[in-house]
Amino acid sequence: MKEELFNQYTQKVMNTFGLSKEELFRKTKKRHIVDARQMLWYVCRQRPMRVVQIQEYMSNSGYNTAHSVILHGINVMSEKVEDDQDYAELYVKLCS
């Protein structure tokens, strides 16, 4: 069930950020891709989805990353959503 939600959020993030699945799950530090990944993690965590589940679903999509990296990304996006109205609106859009 949670994996289905992860896939739905992945699709919404890809559409919103204008990325392909390959781009979203590519190892890169390009800001717009990192923002998209962090937003995906943040939205999933708010569901609530456990970080270990997010990590597993990312791995299933070909993106292996550490538990701590996901936690850091969630924290970064949490601050952005709280401090930046554009990110807050984006979050609301992704959750609807």
Side-chain angles (χ1 to χ4, degrees):
M1 180 175 147
K2 294 287 187 180
E3 188 167 14
E4 183 178 316
L5 289 171
F6 177 84
N7 291 332
Q8 290 173 4
Y9 286 136
T10 297
Q11 191 62 48
K12 285 184 174 187
V13 167
M14 287 169 22
N15 293 341
T16 301
F17 283 84
L19 298 172
S20 67
K21 191 169 184 175
E22 292 76 27
E23 290 172 313
L24 183 61
F25 295 116
R26 180 184 308 146
K27 287 275 189 183
T28 182
K29 292 186 180 184
K30 291 183 179 178
R31 175 54 37 206
H32 69 286
I33 296 175
V34 171
D35 279 349
R37 265 198 310 266
Q38 290 177 343
M39 181 59 81
L40 173 62
W41 299 340
Y42 179 75
V43 170
C44 288
R45 186 69 181 125
Q46 298 308 307
R47 184 66 188 165
M49 196 177 293
R50 294 182 7 236
V51 174
V52 71
Q53 290 172 306
I54 298 168
Q55 185 179 19
E56 177 186 340
Y57 304 146
M58 292 293 293
S59 180
N60 292 347
S61 296
Y63 188 90
N64 296 310
T65 192
H67 191 93
S68 60
V69 172
I70 295 173
L71 282 175
H72 174 73
I74 291 168
N75 290 334
V76 166
M77 191 52 62
S78 177
E79 289 177 16
K80 287 182 180 182
V81 169
E82 288 176 18
D83 297 339
D84 188 322
Q85 184 63 32
D86 294 330
Y87 281 98
E89 290 174 9
L90 183 61
Y91 169 70
V92 170
K93 178 182 175 184
L94 288 169
C95 291
S96 60

